Every structure is written in C-alpha cells, then in structure tokens.
Amino acid sequence: MNETFDIQKYMQGGVERILRDSLRATMGNIRAQAFFLRFAKAVKKASAKRMESEKQGFHVPAFLISSIASNCNLHCAGCYSRCNGATTDCEQKDQLTSSEWGKIFKEAEVLGISFILLAGGEPLLRKDVINEAAKCKNILFPIFTNGTFLRKDNLDFYDKHRNLIPVISIEGDREKTDARRGKGVYDRLVSAMDGLKEKDLLYGVSVTVTSENLSEVTSENYLRDLSERGCKLVIYVEYVPVTSESSGLALSDEQRDQLLSDVTHVRETHPEIVFVSFPGDEKSSGGCLAAGRGFFHINSNGGAEPCPFSPYSDINVRDTSLKDALNSPLFQALQQNGLLMEDHKGGCVLFEKKKQVEDLLSD
C-alpha cells in the first residue's frame, strides 16, 4: 500500500461528501431529511470504530458490496455477472440464507461499515434478505435493481424502511436501455420512477458508462429529465469489457478524464442530485479501492472477493467472520504487492489483470 496515501482519510472524506450531498439533495423532504440526520450520527460512530481499528493496524472499509441473489429475470447484453457464471436463470444451490446475511449485516455494523450495496443477479428476488437489511437502521443499503419488480402497489415497504434506497439500472434513453435490457424495459423503469416520486421516496439510478453513451448520460437534457422524475442519486459505473469483442465500449483514458470533469461539473449544476462515479479517479484514491482498501464483495455463496469484476476468493464468510475475510491472504497480497496501483485500460485493473490474481491464489 502507498505509504504516503492515507486511505482512511480519503474514504472518510468520501463518506462525508455523500452525507453532505444527500442532505442538500433532500431539502424539503422532511422524512428523508430526518433519516439522514439520524444516519449522520450513526456514520460518526462507525467512523470512530474504523479509526480505532486503524490505530490497531486493521483497516476496515466503509463500503461492502453484497450479491444476495444468483438469479435474474433479465438477460442484459454484456452482463459481467452472467459471463462469469455468478448469475443464472435459476436460483443456485448453496446460497447464503437470510439469517446468514443478517449475521453479516450485523457484523458489518460492529466493524463500522456504513454502506452495504445490495446486488445480484436481481436482489429484489430475495425479499427475505431485504427484510434482514431493513432491520439494520444504522446502515444504508442502496439496492441495485433492474427495476422490473418496483411497482406502484409495492412501494410502501420503502416508505417504512428509509435505509433501503432503490437504485435502478438504466442505460440512457429508451433506445439504449431496451437495446441492452430488453424491449419495453425502459417504460417499466419510468413507471417505477413515477411511482417512487409520487410517494416522495428517495431513489437513484445506476448508469453503465460506455464510449458510446458518455456524452448523453452526462448531458443537461438527460439529467434534467431524471431530476424532474424525482431521482436523487446517479451512480456512474464505468463499463468493464467482458469479452475482447466489447473492449471498444470501455472508456479511453481521455474519456475517463472527461467523465471525471463532467461529474465535477454536474455536482455544481445539479445540487438536488448526489453523483457518485465508480471506480472514479483512481489516481486521486491511490489506486483501485477493491480488496478491502475502500470496499470488498461477498458473493451469493459467501465467498469474499476483491470486487464483483474479480470473482476470486480464498475464504468464505460461512466458515469464518467478516473480520477474518478482510484479513484474507488474497486481500492482503493485493494490497501489498502493488497490483491495485498498476496502470490499466477500461474500468477495472483486477479484471484486466485476472491472470495475476489467479496466480496469487495458486501461490
């Protein structure tokens, strides 16, 4: 790890910015403001726990990604999760139970983890796990969903549990969204957004940014439309090529710099929306934030992985604790051998250098 770079200070700055932007974005929404004020107190306590662990030589990230489902009802073109076999049409055997996920969420709170991103497959197929997440009021759970299970008649649940934030995957306009996700999906997503707005519920969108849609999804027209639909969070996820044929969709270095500049600009012009870019500017963060530096990933079977794009694991939380998972030999090797800081093309250094990660597992 870069000795001159304070990862804990960097991540804490990111958490504080998210909280500050969230409070600003929810001005006028009394219930949302009340939740974030309470959550800010929980974040402060969590930060103190992480700082104490840091003093003892144990680094705890503020973020965890949990893929709680292994199945999905859509077949999106270029889905990395289907390409690596993590997602199928049917629920895979040996998935973590809801009680096992509940244990993970509670341990995460004890460690000082404040944000757990729920992913899949399609996470809303695991309502039992979502119920466990709802109980953990001191953790914010963005739910990365394809949006097809969000209907106007089932949104009261999110009104009762404000720590659950639907984040709907969308590719831009109707043409681009339907081309990747299936005919008619865009209209279903818009209907879900309208329902969330009607109930004054906080929600966001996740946009996969490619070389083809970069200018559109950061444009004023696109963001104005999202804002008018009540969207309060936009997460830009840089496309990671899953095959050699799709490598042209990955952002070039110049386009990554452009995205960084665009995000800085829209944060100023759209204060009513929280903007997050993933993985973002790795130069400013001292390298890739995976493998426990800034976040890590638990797959649907309990394997602790550096990130969803690097599905390699040498430890399972079913057999050990979340703390032990963070200390796994693979995570420690990745943090110490400099691989996370190496130059790369596209959105993910570990995906591009998967041979080196595989070699670490065989050592």
Side-chain angles (χ1 to χ4, degrees):
M1 188 180 297
N2 188 343
E3 295 180 357
T4 64
F5 182 78
D6 190 335
I7 184 65
Q8 190 65 270
K9 183 178 180 180
Y10 173 83
M11 293 305 299
Q12 182 58 26
V15 169
E16 290 174 355
R17 182 184 60 75
I18 291 173
L19 277 176
R20 183 176 62 251
D21 289 354
S22 297
L23 284 166
R24 183 176 62 176
T26 54
M27 290 292 291
N29 186 329
I30 296 176
R31 294 194 63 189
Q33 284 267 297
F35 165 75
F36 276 110
L37 288 171
R38 290 193 300 271
F39 182 58
K41 295 180 181 179
V43 166
K44 186 175 181 179
K45 291 181 180 179
S47 175
K49 291 179 181 178
R50 295 197 305 274
M51 292 299 293
E52 186 60 34
S53 294
E54 199 79 25
K55 293 176 183 177
Q56 299 173 12
F58 174 54
H59 176 69
V60 178
F63 298 83
L64 167 65
I65 303 175
S66 298
S67 289
I68 61 175
S70 61
N71 52 323
C72 184
N73 59 311
L74 296 184
H75 288 77
C76 301
C79 174
Y80 73 88
S81 190
R82 280 193 183 274
C83 285
N84 67 30
T87 294
T88 61
D89 289 338
C90 301
E91 185 175 301
Q92 297 178 13
K93 296 180 179 179
D94 220 24
Q95 286 192 113
L96 293 178
T97 66
S98 58
S99 60
E100 287 174 322
W101 278 117
K103 178 176 176 291
I104 291 169
F105 299 156
K106 290 173 184 175
E107 187 177 357
E109 181 177 348
V110 170
L111 289 174
I113 294 173
S114 295
F115 301 87
I116 300 182
L117 286 63
L118 301 183
E122 171 48 49
L124 292 187
L125 289 171
R126 291 295 306 271
K127 185 65 184 299
D128 56 337
V129 181
I130 301 294
N131 286 335
E132 290 296 322
K135 299 173 184 177
C136 300
K137 302 299 184 183
N138 293 328
I139 295 177
L140 188 69
F141 292 88
I143 306 173
F144 283 69
T145 171
N146 62 38
T148 59
F149 293 101
L150 291 171
R151 303 184 309 274
K152 292 184 179 181
D153 62 352
N154 67 3
L155 298 179
D156 287 344
F157 183 76
Y158 301 96
D159 189 30
K160 296 176 182 176
H161 304 289
R162 293 272 168 165
N163 63 325
L164 306 178
I165 310 294
V167 179
I168 301 169
S169 297
I170 195 167
E171 310 303 323
D173 61 14
R174 177 183 285 104
E175 180 182 359
K176 287 187 175 64
T177 298
D178 284 2
R180 187 179 185 209
R181 298 187 172 271
K183 186 176 177 58
V185 170
Y186 179 85
D187 289 337
R188 294 171 72 179
L189 302 188
V190 168
S191 176
M193 292 179 189
D194 291 344
L196 288 160
K197 181 182 180 181
E198 287 173 13
K199 287 187 173 291
D200 210 14
L201 292 173
L202 188 64
Y203 79 91
V205 298
S206 171
V207 182
T208 301
V209 185
T210 72
S211 58
E212 295 181 349
N213 72 354
L214 171 60
S215 59
E216 177 193 338
V217 298
T218 57
S219 70
E220 175 59 26
N221 286 341
Y222 185 67
L223 295 177
R224 186 188 305 118
D225 180 66
L226 287 177
S227 180
E228 290 174 353
R229 294 189 184 282
C231 177
K232 294 297 183 181
L233 169 67
V234 173
I235 300 179
Y236 291 120
V237 182
E238 295 175 32
Y239 178 76
V240 174
V242 293
T243 65
S244 57
E245 291 78 12
S246 62
S247 59
L249 292 175
L251 300 182
S252 65
D253 288 342
E254 292 77 13
Q255 288 173 321
R256 296 187 80 198
D257 289 341
Q258 182 61 51
L259 176 59
L260 178 63
S261 175
D262 289 344
V263 170
T264 300
H265 173 70
V266 297
R267 281 174 177 159
E268 296 173 353
T269 57
H270 284 278
E272 78 283 7
I273 299 176
V274 180
F275 292 92
V276 178
S277 182
F278 176 80
D281 183 13
E282 293 182 344
K283 295 176 183 176
S284 68
S285 60
C288 176
L289 293 173
R293 287 191 72 234
F295 68 91
F296 64 112
H297 177 233
I298 303 295
N299 67 33
S300 62
N301 300 110
E305 301 172 344
C307 84
F309 298 116
S310 185
Y312 302 100
S313 177
D314 62 351
I315 196 167
N316 193 296
V317 294
R318 221 177 212 149
D319 309 316
T320 187
S321 67
L322 207 58
K323 184 175 182 178
D324 287 342
L326 278 168
N327 275 323
S328 78
L330 176 61
F331 283 13
Q332 293 304 305
L334 287 170
Q335 291 185 30
Q336 295 168 12
N337 70 0
L339 184 61
L340 296 175
M341 287 69 177
E342 290 190 11
D343 291 333
H344 62 97
K345 298 178 182 179
C348 179
V349 62
L350 294 182
F351 186 88
E352 181 178 306
K353 300 180 184 299
K354 56 185 177 182
K355 180 62 169 60
Q356 289 98 311
V357 181
E358 292 171 351
D359 290 343
L360 288 174
L361 284 174
S362 62
D363 288 345

